[in-house]
Amino acid sequence: MKRTATAVWNGSGKEGNGKLSTQSNTLKQTAYSYKSRFEEGTGTNPEELIAAAHAGCFSMKLSFVLGAAGFTPESIETTSTITLEDGAIKSSQLNVKAQVPGISDDQFQECAEDAKANCPVSKVLNAQITMNATLESMANA
């Protein structure tokens, strides 16, 4: 399986602007710029897209890991916070909340660690990956 995305940049790094498009057309000529990346401008940026990819990949991988362990999650909510420092992505902090009937916290933590280590986006990131995983009680649903 191969997936593609295209970036077109026009102009200088600070004053220029770009457009991002994905094979699926989920992003189609989506704007990005210096302001959307380093300030509070309109549009997306590469770090935001990596955060979305990591959160989505991890959540799906955790669902597969839980399934292999005999559990079916009712919900998994993951937020990834990407840190860019000195021109490099230094870390991704995963904050996970899940509702999984019948699982102990120890079993859940083991499954979450497996997913963190083995989701394809975790494997491709050359960054520190940290995680806070919370198993929510079904009464809080």
Side-chain angles (χ1 to χ4, degrees):
M1 169 178 30
K2 294 182 181 184
R3 301 286 187 240
T4 63
T6 302
V8 176
W9 186 263
N10 299 297
S12 70
K14 195 161 186 176
E15 288 81 26
N17 59 69
K19 303 276 188 207
L20 298 168
S21 298
T22 57
Q23 176 181 341
S24 67
N25 284 322
T26 298
L27 297 179
K28 188 171 184 175
Q29 300 294 307
T30 303
Y32 77 112
S33 66
Y34 180 90
K35 286 187 180 210
S36 70
R37 189 168 191 187
F38 300 111
E39 297 173 1
E40 294 300 321
T42 302
T44 191
N45 58 71
E47 292 73 29
E48 177 179 73
L49 297 172
I50 291 169
H54 199 195
C57 184
F58 172 85
S59 291
M60 186 178 278
K61 180 64 175 179
L62 179 55
S63 182
F64 280 118
V65 171
L66 288 165
F71 301 98
T72 302
E74 287 194 5
S75 70
I76 299 169
E77 178 182 321
T78 305
T79 301
S80 167
T81 302
I82 295 292
T83 302
L84 178 70
E85 292 176 0
D86 301 323
I89 293 174
K90 298 289 186 178
S91 66
S92 176
Q93 167 67 43
L94 297 172
N95 288 312
V96 186
K97 293 184 226 173
Q99 294 178 356
V100 186
I103 196 170
S104 71
D105 189 60
D106 286 345
Q107 290 170 308
F108 174 71
Q109 295 299 325
E110 184 178 318
C111 290
E113 286 294 332
D114 181 330
K116 181 183 91 166
N118 293 302
C119 92
V121 173
S122 288
K123 288 182 171 188
V124 78
L125 289 176
N126 184 21
Q128 178 185 23
I129 300 169
T130 56
M131 178 177 64
N132 178 16
T134 304
L135 178 63
E136 296 184 323
S137 104
M138 298 309 291
N140 293 341

